[in-house]
Amino acid sequence: MELTSRQLTIVELVKKHAPITGEQIAESLGISRPTIRSDLSVLVMLGYIDAKPKVGYFLGKVMTSDGQLNERLRQLKVKDVMNRPVVIQENATVNDAVIALFMENTGFLTVTDESGVLSGMVSLKDLLKVTLGNPSAATIPISMVMTRSTRIVTVSPDESALDAAKKMLDHQVGGMPVVETVNGDRNRYEVVGRITKTNMTNILVELTSGYMAE
């Protein structure tokens, strides 16, 4: 929810003069107390400010350092931080996949069919399992090794970076393909990017450094 200019001014007043009463806020704005009653209620509900009886208003959780970082992560979209996808087709071999992993310095590859629709994903762990002690592994089709699309955790470009991080933690994965539906078909996905734990670490470092510098 986007705050109005008056609500933003109220937050700044609370930030500078907390604890401050509703009457003092109204006086600073040059309006009556009843006029800002709804603004104060909205700001308290959203966590920007809080109130103590007989004391006044002070900053809420959203305005603390942890709250601001959380809010910034919510506002940041996956499409703002994702990397380009590293894709191979189903007819590629395990050897092709190993080369692609090391050339691209990534932990997983997204697998697509001939039309570019997501069909699976293969990780370094998957390749290690099939190659160790198997001299003929190099020629095995990647479609025989990959994790099928129905079992893959994905994320959309418009989801928040925070939600993406939670998905990775909940499913214990190091990265996810970023996908969009093909013509609205929820069973067919086009791969548009990838997001990894490294992305999330970089985001936290950048946001934390930016906050400390303010």
Side-chain angles (χ1 to χ4, degrees), residues 30-192:
I31 54 182
S32 65
R33 172 70 170 81
T35 304
I36 61 169
R37 184 175 292 123
S38 61
D39 293 313
L40 293 172
S41 298
V42 167
L43 291 172
V44 170
M45 179 183 67
L46 294 176
Y48 284 91
I49 63 175
D50 208 340
K52 288 183 178 178
K54 299 181 181 180
V55 176
Y57 293 94
F58 55 94
L59 291 179
K61 290 181 179 179
V62 170
M63 298 305 293
T64 63
S65 58
D66 288 343
Q68 288 182 19
L69 182 59
N70 186 287
E71 184 63 21
R72 291 181 186 185
L73 279 174
R74 287 189 182 280
Q75 292 175 354
L76 202 60
K77 301 296 184 183
V78 168
K79 62 186 175 185
D80 299 322
V81 299
M82 68 184 187
N83 294 327
R84 64 176 180 80
V86 182
V87 179
I88 58 174
Q89 290 194 353
E90 292 175 329
N91 58 4
T93 65
V94 166
N95 185 63
D96 295 329
V98 170
I99 292 173
L101 273 177
F102 283 97
M103 290 292 290
E104 297 289 345
N105 191 27
T106 183
F108 71 93
L109 303 171
T110 306
V111 186
T112 64
D113 62 18
E114 292 181 356
S115 62
V117 173
L118 175 68
S119 60
M121 189 173 85
V122 64
S123 67
L124 179 58
K125 184 183 294 187
D126 295 326
L127 295 175
L128 284 173
K129 285 180 181 179
V130 73
T131 55
L132 289 177
N134 186 354
S136 61
T139 59
I140 296 175
I142 203 64
S143 58
M144 301 289 291
V145 179
M146 69 182 187
T147 300
R148 298 286 171 180
S149 59
T150 53
R151 297 173 56 196
I152 296 175
V153 183
T154 62
V155 65
S156 76
D158 291 320
E159 288 187 65
S160 72
L162 183 59
D163 287 338
K166 287 179 178 178
K167 276 189 178 182
M168 282 190 275
L169 288 173
D170 290 344
H171 295 277
Q172 297 184 344
V173 294
M176 298 180 294
V178 183
V179 300
E180 293 180 332
T181 58
V182 178
N183 298 323
D185 185 347
R186 293 187 176 278
N187 294 316
R188 291 165 55 83
Y189 292 99
E190 175 190 6
V191 183
V192 296

